[in-house]
Amino acid sequence: MYQKIKSFLYLPVILFLFWGCTTAPEKDPHVRNVILLIGDGMGLTQMYAGYTANKGSLALERSQYVGLATTFSANRYNTDSAAGGTAIACGVKTNNGMLGVTPDTIPVKSMLEYAADFGLSTGMVVTCELTHATPAAFVSHVGKRTENEKIALQLSHSKINVAIGGGRKYFEERTDAKNLTDSMRAKGFHVAYSMDEVKAVQEGNLLGLLADVAQERYPARGEMLPESVAKAINILNKNKKGFFLMVEGSFIDSGGHANDHEFVANEMLDFDRAVKAALDFAELDGHTLVIVTADHETGGMTINSGDLETGSMATSFSTKGHTGVPVPVYAFGPGAETFTGIFDNTDFLPKVLKLYGINP
């Protein structure tokens, strides 16, 4: 009887040790996928505004490593989204207002373009128009961020596999009378105009044009962002070689420009749900690196007081524009330790390429 009891007591220990041995992560797992999430205008205070509004909780807290990135552009202490996005995507400083080019307008290859040429699937999900500054930095090379139709044309010619956001007018109501969605359908793209249509796509290439220009602010647009991130991951992950996905929480920036902390917190929490979708996948996959950062901080936001039980806060802003302060960097998964310390926003590209094993 004693032997039976002893065996019964030892069984959970044996099973635990066996389970641990069979499911322990590799010591140096290969980075197959990278999900880069950019909170436009998200400084440390914007993050904490979301944390406070959510009564002391964010999915972002699951990040394993934290760093800081400097954001100045080639010609300004305070960057704009075009130069900031270009620095992250292409690894070079450029002038404010320029996309995917050096200050003397020489095109520079982006992280997404390197990934595509390496045989990986690529995608981006944004709440603004697909031709806006941050997403455009990954697929276009233009001297002025306002060249929306030119950016849309370059996106249509790119090797991207999934693109979900707004900006339908720049694809279908163009001054040159071209209908880029027709040409993308001819290349095998599913073209979706609603989230129901986006969700219905199970494989292949997807262009989701969910608004004429930008989408509505949260909560009016619903769960578009996290649901689109989950859909993009599902489609891109069918490429066994790997994928690259860029996600932007576009309107944290808008809340900062408006000096509206409720606007900021709502957008931050929506962005955090997209972060959760990425982290949930990465935890199960084991070969996915998740990076969360910002192109710049907007508003000079300060939380003067708050209450984690009620989610309320009192805030002030020093500007309606961008500031020059460094932005936080959060990382999870294989290679996450690479994104600690203080580094420049041009360092994202070489770090990611090295982890992929891509030689530029």
Side-chain angles (χ1 to χ4, degrees):
M1 179 67 176
Y2 172 73
Q3 283 298 117
K4 287 183 179 179
I5 294 173
K6 188 165 70 171
S7 298
F8 177 77
L9 291 174
Y10 285 164
L11 183 60
V13 177
I14 295 168
L15 289 173
F16 174 77
L17 291 173
F18 177 77
W19 178 85
C21 290
T22 57
T23 61
E26 301 172 43
K27 290 183 179 179
D28 186 23
H30 170 64
V31 175
R32 184 168 56 228
N33 313 310
V34 173
I35 305 175
L36 171 63
L37 299 106
I38 299 174
D40 196 320
M42 182 194 73
L44 190 61
T45 310
Q46 285 78 2
M47 180 280 293
Y48 206 64
Y51 179 88
T52 302
N54 209 39
K55 302 180 181 180
S57 175
L58 284 179
L60 200 51
E61 293 177 81
R62 290 157 58 187
S63 301
Q64 299 162 316
Y65 294 92
V66 180
L68 289 172
T70 52
T71 63
F72 57 91
S73 69
N75 68 334
R76 293 286 187 275
Y77 186 77
N78 294 1
T79 190
D80 76 335
S81 294
T86 297
I88 295 170
C90 304
V92 299
K93 295 289 187 185
T94 196
N95 294 337
N96 285 6
M98 303 177 80
L99 287 164
V101 296
T102 62
D104 50 358
T105 69
I106 296 173
V108 188
K109 198 169 181 177
S110 77
M111 198 180 291
L112 186 148
E113 291 167 329
Y114 274 112
D117 288 344
F118 194 59
L120 308 181
S121 293
T122 61
M124 59 188 189
V125 175
V126 299
T127 52
C128 62
E129 54 269 44
L130 289 166
T131 58
H132 205 266
T134 304
F138 288 82
V139 293
S140 72
H141 309 275
V142 297
K144 295 180 181 179
R145 59 181 289 177
T146 54
E147 298 179 89
N148 287 284
E149 291 191 0
K150 188 173 182 179
I151 293 166
L153 183 63
Q154 291 185 10
L155 185 153
S156 74
H157 290 157
S158 73
K159 295 180 180 179
I160 197 166
N161 301 103
V162 175
I164 305 172
R168 182 170 55 215
K169 66 179 290 186
Y170 303 120
F171 289 81
E172 298 183 344
E173 300 170 18
R174 300 166 53 86
T175 56
D176 60 9
K178 292 180 180 178
N179 188 320
L180 301 184
T181 54
D182 286 345
S183 63
M184 293 185 77
R185 282 192 186 93
K187 287 169 40 176
F189 273 81
H190 301 279
V191 178
Y193 298 105
S194 69
M195 278 308 299
D196 285 342
E197 292 177 358
V198 165
K199 292 176 188 177
V201 178
Q202 300 302 318
E203 59 185 1
N205 296 334
L206 169 62
L207 173 64
L209 297 172
L210 305 180
D212 225 24
V213 187
Q215 295 173 81
E216 294 182 275
R217 58 190 278 187
Y218 190 84
R221 67 174 177 269
E223 300 306 306
M224 169 268 158
L225 186 61
E227 289 178 355
S228 294
V229 170
K231 173 55 65 175
I233 290 171
N234 180 260
I235 293 173
L236 298 174
N237 193 43
K238 296 186 187 307
N239 182 345
K240 297 309 175 186
K241 190 169 183 180
F243 68 79
F244 170 78
L245 174 64
M246 191 285 291
V247 178
E248 185 189 32
S250 313
F251 299 143
I252 301 169
D253 176 67
S254 302
H257 283 300
N259 288 182
D260 182 338
H261 76 246
E262 185 176 353
F263 190 173
V264 168
N266 279 341
E267 292 294 338
M268 184 65 223
L269 288 174
D270 185 50
F271 180 62
D272 190 61
R273 285 187 286 274
V275 171
K276 181 182 184 300
L279 291 173
D280 286 349
F281 172 78
E283 279 187 345
L284 291 172
D285 179 69
H287 295 279
T288 299
L289 168 65
V290 177
I291 308 163
V292 185
T293 191
D295 48 357
H296 54 73
E297 192 275 345
T298 303
M301 183 179 177
T302 301
I303 300 176
N304 302 311
S305 64
D307 188 327
L308 291 175
E309 291 187 2
T310 63
S312 62
M313 70 194 90
T315 62
S316 59
F317 295 82
S318 64
T319 178
K320 288 187 177 290
H322 300 169
T323 65
V325 298
V327 294
V329 182
Y330 307 92
F332 176 94
E337 68 281 358
T338 308
F339 297 89
T340 56
I342 301 173
F343 57 92
D344 191 63
N345 56 3
T346 56
D347 292 330
F348 283 102
L349 177 74
K351 288 175 185 288
V352 167
L353 294 186
K354 183 177 181 180
L355 290 168
Y356 268 137
I358 298 174
N359 295 315

